[in-house]
Amino acid sequence: MKNSLENLLGKTPLFFDGGTGTILQSKGLKPGELPETWNIKHPEIIEQLHYDYFMAGANIIKSNTFGAFTTKFPLNLKSVISAALVNANKARTRAKKSAADKNLFIAFDISSTGKLLKPMGDLDFEDCITLYKKTFQTAFKCAQEKSQAFDCILIETMNDGYETKAAIIAAKELMEKTGTSYPILVTNVYDADCRTLSGSTPETMIAMLEGLGVAAAGVNCSLGPKEMLPAVERLCKAASIPVIINPNAGLPKVIDGKTVFDVNAKEFVQAMKKIAAVPSAQYKILGGCCGTNPEYIGLMKKTVKQRAPIPAEKIPQTCIISSNTKTVCFGHDTEGKRVPCVLIGERINPTGKKKFKEALRNNDIDYIIHQGLEQETADAQVLDVNVGLPEIDEKEMMVRVMTELQAVTDLPLQIDTSSAKVMEAALRRYNGKPLINSVNGKKEIMDAVFPLVKKYGGVVIGLTLDERGIPSKAADRLKIAQKIYKEAARYGITKKDIIIDPLAMAVSSDSQAGLATLQTVRGIFEAGGNTSLGISNVSFGLPNREFVTSSFFTMAMQNGLSAAIMNPLQLEMKKAWYTTSLLLGLDGNCAGYIEWINNEGGSLPLAAAVPASATPSNGGHPRNTPETGTSGGPSRASGTAKASGVPEALEGPQNDSALKTAIIKGLKNDAANTTKELLKTEESLSIINNHLIPGLDYVGKQFEAKKMYLPQLLMAADAAKTAFDEIRGFMEKSGKKGKSKGKVIIATVKGDIHDIGKNIVKILLQNYDFEVIDLGKDVPPETVVAACKKDKVQLVGLSALMTTTVAAMEDTIKLLRKECPWAKVCVGGAVMTQEYSDKIGADFYGKDAMDTVRYALELFK
């Protein structure tokens, strides 16, 4: 039986509580002291805080368990969680006696582990799941006692979509194992450009989170309510579930050694009125984060009125898949506007490909990855990934290829396998919401595949075949499609997450086969569904197959085809796609077609490039824009083939060297091998200055311009590291030794175990040839000073994620000024601002990792 909170979510306006850490600071929480320890040390203060929020009008309060991991509490995690839940329940019992709103709920609260997951960091995905499971397992055991009950799980302040997925899977698997059921609520942290630390957008996060079945999703921390409005608008536009909005009370400042925020309760509520008025599919959940208190929540509850949700019949049911940073829509976009057929690159598949089979047998991952990058350059919007060969471990190979591809391309992937075990392994580790190929009308196949789709999320291809085989008539294929829809619904999988494949059969063996497929495509399209076809199958056994295939492709698009698995490198197929999209009215102002001709004109035998002046200035065709990260039409946004052969999103100046290109793309093996070749003819210093540093500088500038994101930045750094390692090895063998630019100390301050930002800075500094002394996390001021004194280090970098640990950062700076006056101090972290940095006496505020690197380069010049 569903609990009452789950019945209320989205049906009525609800309110979260506000900040905890900043309030505890005002009540005496010391710098570096863990707020969760107050559950045991000062239970009366925690209980009273929860009670005050309930009485102010909060419907949901968060347990004081934000950082409750075994990494923080290896010996007393159960005591900390148990005390937190007891305090919350005592507050609720008291509040129920006199609170005006009797809908009072407790969210078991947990946040980030503070580590980056592989390949960006060193924490394995499965290890991350295990870490969360230990926390949830403890909470679930505590909740068996009525005095420690809770109503939902809140996974909050998440900077990385991949870690968010790990936390959700941990909760879902434990609930399945223990027979419990809690709604899962999720909030991520977005910056002013509506990106998470790892580059996810509101659209990519909502696609993944809805696929995983969370009950509500949204945004918290980092920004004040005014600055949060753009992210809220995009979340509400993308989401069919309730959206949570928990802003900070503006930006932090330090006054008299305490952290305060610059937006008062009245100003906060005025901004929240605008947020409450944003159109949404369901009622929103409003609350606060750092700097807010019961006054803010109480005033908001009294004065903020939400607009009614958009009627369900007016909300387009959009079929969406995603990678970490990009979404792709099928059939129509989120506004209900029809989009061109999606191109799914078919070349990562051993069928009929001798070289690809050899690459699989020889474990030649580089060859496979290049197949993906070539298709991205040729306008593929999704990459099909099929690595099935009888003589290899398909599961291991699938996970490896998928992981490697996701590290170097932002295109969503289609997981293509007939093995349920392989499918589950891939879906589990996929970063985003994938396309799944496939299910069919056979009961045993649906029984195997649909539970995986329900658990991990995704859009599934449904083949129109069943126990009787492939029907020859369209009417019978449509019946199988309906059977697939109906069975999927039993698992809670809606029609929008199913794409029907009517199966293109060879016309060489049945002249009516093409017609039956087209009729099925038309039937699905007219019924509001989406379709996909393996286009080239139709021409099997015929000469000049691309002539037949491209004509069939055109006819299928005219009949409403949503997606095509095809070879984007074939000119005839590209011509068919661009011209048909244009003629169907899906290429506004012909802009996509003209752009393609301009870029491909030299390779087209019967066409000349259109003068730039002929390109309409107002565009109008669907594009993958940096603002939305959405793919939907004929454009070069997924990668333009230029002289360098580098996709547009990664392209540097023309005529880039092979090494610089490898660094920009994040190709580690290419970088190492190219460096080995260059060392035969070029001096080490020349390679560094003319190839390596320009590559890193280009990626750094693109990162700062928000054209590349953290995953690309770190993969580029990894590629550069392999090149540097080759150079260092060569110099050591030849008796030479490179000179370090200087020593830098980095540390996460006392009381803070989040070292993501610190580790990113470390990687980049090392790639720019600095010697980095990494003191780790939760580092006392005295340890920093001792290390600085020992080597008379010129630059110290300090990081903090939590507002409660900024005071420890200030203490460290004060001690450095006293004991190490020669040292410069740079600071960074999610809670830092320039004003904050100035207040605590830092020499430099790094708004991101590259900012800190540039400061170090200037300092040591």
Side-chain angles (χ1 to χ4, degrees):
M1 180 178 175
K2 294 183 178 180
N3 65 33
S4 55
L5 173 60
E6 195 161 7
N7 290 333
L8 291 174
L9 286 171
K11 307 296 189 301
T12 186
L14 293 172
F15 291 84
F16 255 113
D17 60 3
T20 297
T22 46
I23 292 177
L24 297 187
Q25 274 188 314
S26 69
K27 294 183 179 297
L29 183 73
K30 297 176 183 177
E33 188 178 8
L34 300 178
E36 297 86 355
T37 61
W38 276 39
N39 295 330
I40 300 169
K41 293 179 184 177
H42 305 289
E44 70 288 350
I45 294 177
I46 302 300
E47 180 190 332
Q48 186 64 38
L49 177 59
H50 292 326
Y51 175 78
D52 290 344
Y53 274 125
F54 275 138
M55 295 306 295
N59 301 107
I60 311 170
I61 59 102
K62 302 181 285 284
S63 62
N64 186 31
T65 50
F66 182 90
F69 292 102
T70 52
T71 49
K72 262 189 180 181
F73 304 100
L75 302 177
N76 63 336
L77 181 64
K78 183 179 179 182
S79 299
V80 167
I81 291 176
S82 176
L85 292 173
V86 166
N87 295 334
N89 276 276
K90 283 183 177 180
R92 176 163 60 180
T93 300
R94 287 171 57 198
K96 278 188 174 181
K97 296 176 182 177
S98 52
D101 191 337
K102 302 300 182 182
N103 291 317
L104 307 180
F105 305 103
I106 297 169
F108 177 75
D109 185 56
I110 194 66
S111 184
S112 167
T113 62
K115 289 183 172 293
L116 276 176
L117 272 65
K118 295 177 181 178
M120 292 192 297
D122 57 6
L123 181 62
D124 184 75
F125 185 75
E126 291 298 335
D127 291 338
C128 186
I129 290 175
T130 299
L131 201 52
Y132 277 103
K133 278 186 176 180
K134 289 178 180 178
T135 294
F136 290 137
Q137 189 171 31
T138 303
F140 289 4
K141 285 182 179 178
C142 290
Q144 292 174 4
E145 298 289 333
K146 189 176 180 181
S147 62
Q148 300 173 46
F150 58 89
D151 305 284
C152 66
I153 294 168
L154 175 64
I155 300 167
E156 66 151 314
T157 321
M158 302 299 286
N159 287 285
D160 177 24
Y162 204 31
E163 184 184 19
T164 306
K165 179 174 180 175
I168 294 167
I169 289 175
K172 289 177 72 171
E173 289 185 344
L174 267 179
M175 283 191 281
E176 183 180 5
K177 182 179 179 180
T178 58
T180 54
S181 178
Y182 296 103
I184 299 174
L185 285 58
V186 175
T187 55
N188 294 93
V189 178
Y190 298 96
D191 63 19
D193 295 302
C194 300
R195 294 272 180 176
T196 66
L197 178 68
S198 59
S200 300
T201 66
E203 294 80 12
T204 57
M205 284 305 309
I206 288 295
M208 183 186 76
L209 294 175
E210 289 198 0
L212 286 164
V214 305
V219 55
N220 82 294
C221 206
S222 186
L223 301 172
K226 289 182 181 178
E227 296 79 12
M228 198 173 275
L229 182 59
V232 171
E233 290 173 335
R234 289 172 60 175
L235 284 164
C236 289
K237 185 177 179 180
S240 62
I241 55 178
V243 174
I244 305 166
I245 304 102
N246 291 336
N248 287 348
L251 297 173
K253 299 178 180 179
V254 174
I255 298 178
D256 297 330
K258 293 183 179 180
T259 302
V260 297
F261 288 76
D262 64 0
V263 174
N264 63 37
K266 288 184 179 179
E267 294 168 334
F268 183 88
V269 169
Q270 282 301 113
M272 291 302 285
K273 287 180 179 178
K274 292 183 179 180
I275 283 175
V278 173
S280 57
Q282 299 194 42
Y283 279 110
K284 296 179 278 287
I285 309 172
L286 307 180
C289 199
C290 301
T292 62
N293 57 40
E295 180 190 0
Y296 287 69
I297 305 306
L299 189 58
M300 182 165 56
K301 180 72 173 270
K302 290 176 183 176
T303 60
V304 174
K305 306 300 180 186
Q306 289 194 39
R307 68 182 293 165
I310 303 169
E313 64 272 13
K314 293 186 177 181
I315 301 173
Q317 298 299 301
T318 308
C319 177
I320 301 177
I321 61 171
S322 70
S323 64
N324 178 52
T325 58
K326 180 177 287 187
T327 58
V328 172
C329 298
F330 296 83
H332 58 78
D333 61 20
T334 53
E335 295 180 346
K337 181 181 178 183
R338 186 179 171 187
V339 297
C341 179
V342 172
L343 302 186
I344 304 173
E346 69 177 11
R347 290 171 58 82
I348 303 179
N349 190 318
T351 305
K353 300 181 184 74
K354 184 177 179 181
K355 284 186 177 180
F356 195 91
K357 289 179 181 178
E358 286 303 312
L360 289 174
R361 294 186 186 106
N362 297 331
N363 208 28
D364 186 355
I365 302 298
D366 288 347
Y367 177 86
I368 299 170
I369 298 306
H370 278 282
Q371 294 296 306
L373 293 175
E374 286 175 10
Q375 292 180 98
E376 179 180 26
T377 302
D379 288 338
Q381 295 159 288
V382 180
L383 298 178
D384 181 70
V385 182
N386 184 317
V387 294
L389 271 187
E391 60 265 45
I392 69 168
D393 185 333
E394 185 186 357
K395 183 170 78 170
E396 181 183 352
M397 181 62 75
M398 173 64 84
V399 171
R400 184 177 177 193
V401 169
M402 181 191 73
T403 303
E404 295 278 355
L405 276 170
Q406 288 211 285
V408 298
T409 177
D410 64 355
L411 297 187
L413 305 182
Q414 174 170 272
I415 308 302
D416 188 352
T417 179
S418 59
S419 166
K421 289 183 179 180
V422 174
M423 187 180 291
E424 176 161 26
L427 294 180
R428 187 175 180 84
R429 283 185 171 258
Y430 181 83
N431 191 358
K433 180 183 179 183
L435 189 56
I436 304 164
N437 194 6
S438 58
V439 73
N440 59 49
K442 295 180 179 179
K443 188 178 186 306
E444 64 173 321
I445 301 300
M446 291 191 287
D447 288 347
V449 173
F450 283 143
L452 300 180
V453 179
K454 177 64 176 176
K455 180 177 179 178
Y456 298 109
V459 171
V460 63
I461 302 289
L463 309 181
T464 53
L465 65 88
D466 60 14
E467 288 82 358
R468 295 169 295 176
I470 302 171
S472 60
K473 295 181 179 180
D476 294 325
R477 295 187 194 183
L478 290 170
K479 287 179 182 177
I480 294 176
Q482 291 303 318
K483 180 166 70 171
I484 292 171
Y485 288 143
K486 185 177 180 180
E487 184 65 16
R490 290 183 58 246
Y491 293 87
I493 301 167
T494 62
K495 186 176 179 179
K496 73 175 184 178
D497 283 331
I498 298 170
I499 297 176
I500 297 298
D501 186 341
L503 296 171
M505 308 299 291
V507 294
S508 58
S509 59
D510 180 0
S511 62
Q512 300 299 305
L515 184 59
T517 299
L518 294 173
Q519 289 172 342
T520 309
V521 170
R522 171 58 65 176
I524 296 293
F525 174 71
E526 291 179 345
N530 289 298
T531 52
S532 175
L533 286 173
I535 294 292
S536 62
N537 295 339
V538 75
S539 62
F540 183 78
L542 295 175
N544 292 339
R545 291 183 60 186
E546 65 271 21
F547 294 170
V548 177
T549 303
S550 61
S551 295
F552 179 69
F553 185 26
T554 295
M555 296 173 73
M557 286 188 281
Q558 187 177 7
N559 280 280
L561 185 69
S562 310
I565 304 174
M566 46 82 79
N567 183 355
L569 302 179
Q570 288 183 342
L571 179 58
E572 290 295 328
M573 297 297 287
K574 293 288 284 295
K575 284 164 63 178
W577 185 60
Y578 275 106
T579 55
T580 306
S581 297
L582 184 155
L583 294 170
L584 288 174
L586 305 178
D587 183 4
N589 295 318
C590 312
Y593 174 76
I594 291 173
E595 189 178 359
W596 176 61
I597 292 296
N598 279 334
N599 284 286
E600 303 286 354
S603 63
L604 300 179
L606 299 177
V610 179
S613 60
T615 305
S617 60
N618 60 341
H621 62 297
R623 300 183 65 92
N624 303 342
T625 65
E627 288 74 26
T628 63
T630 305
S631 178
S635 73
R636 304 296 301 173
S638 59
T640 306
K642 299 282 185 79
S644 65
V646 185
E648 185 177 18
L650 302 179
E651 192 183 53
Q654 295 291 332
N655 303 314
D656 284 343
S657 71
L659 179 53
K660 181 179 175 183
T661 297
I663 290 168
I664 290 172
K665 288 184 176 182
L667 301 172
K668 292 183 286 188
N669 290 341
D670 282 20
N673 294 333
T674 304
T675 303
K676 287 178 185 177
E677 291 300 313
L678 284 173
L679 284 167
K680 295 176 182 178
T681 58
E682 200 168 336
E683 289 291 326
S684 300
L685 191 59
S686 173
I687 296 171
I688 292 170
N689 291 334
N690 297 329
H691 305 276
L692 280 172
I693 297 301
L696 283 171
D697 283 346
Y698 175 77
V699 172
K701 289 175 182 176
Q702 292 294 93
F703 175 75
E704 290 172 333
K706 306 293 184 182
K707 294 181 179 179
M708 295 177 74
Y709 303 98
L710 184 61
Q712 294 159 309
L713 180 71
L714 294 181
M715 292 308 297
D718 274 352
K721 182 179 183 300
T722 63
F724 274 117
D725 288 345
E726 292 294 335
I727 291 171
R728 290 189 185 104
F730 177 83
M731 293 176 74
E732 287 174 5
K733 287 180 182 177
S734 59
K736 301 176 183 179
K737 190 175 181 181
K739 187 178 179 182
S740 166
K741 284 189 174 70
K743 290 182 180 179
V744 181
I745 289 172
I746 59 172
T748 301
V749 298
K750 177 68 177 175
D752 203 321
I753 66 162
H754 300 86
D755 59 0
I756 292 175
K758 172 185 69 66
N759 290 341
I760 295 167
V761 171
K762 175 183 177 181
I763 291 169
L764 294 179
L765 285 171
Q766 288 175 331
N767 274 291
Y768 277 86
D769 225 15
F770 287 96
E771 182 181 342
V772 179
I773 302 169
D774 184 358
L775 299 181
K777 56 195 176 185
D778 191 18
V779 182
E782 296 78 12
T783 303
V784 177
V785 168
C788 190
K789 277 184 175 180
K790 181 181 177 183
D791 294 316
K792 203 166 185 179
V793 177
Q794 300 297 309
L795 179 60
V796 177
L798 302 175
S799 175
L801 175 76
M802 302 163 63
T803 54
T804 54
T805 58
V806 175
M809 183 181 280
E810 185 178 18
D811 290 344
T812 304
I813 293 173
K814 285 180 179 178
L815 195 59
L816 281 167
R817 295 287 183 242
K818 181 180 178 182
E819 302 289 335
C820 308
W822 64 83
K824 297 290 184 181
V825 182
C826 63
V827 297
V831 296
M832 294 304 301
T833 64
Q834 184 63 59
E835 185 177 0
Y836 222 165
S837 169
D838 295 340
K839 286 280 187 182
I840 61 177
D843 296 292
F844 182 78
Y845 160 60
K847 66 181 186 297
D848 55 43
M850 279 307 304
D851 218 20
T852 303
V853 170
R854 298 202 192 289
Y855 177 69
L857 289 169
E858 184 65 26
L859 184 66
F860 286 90
K861 186 184 291 184

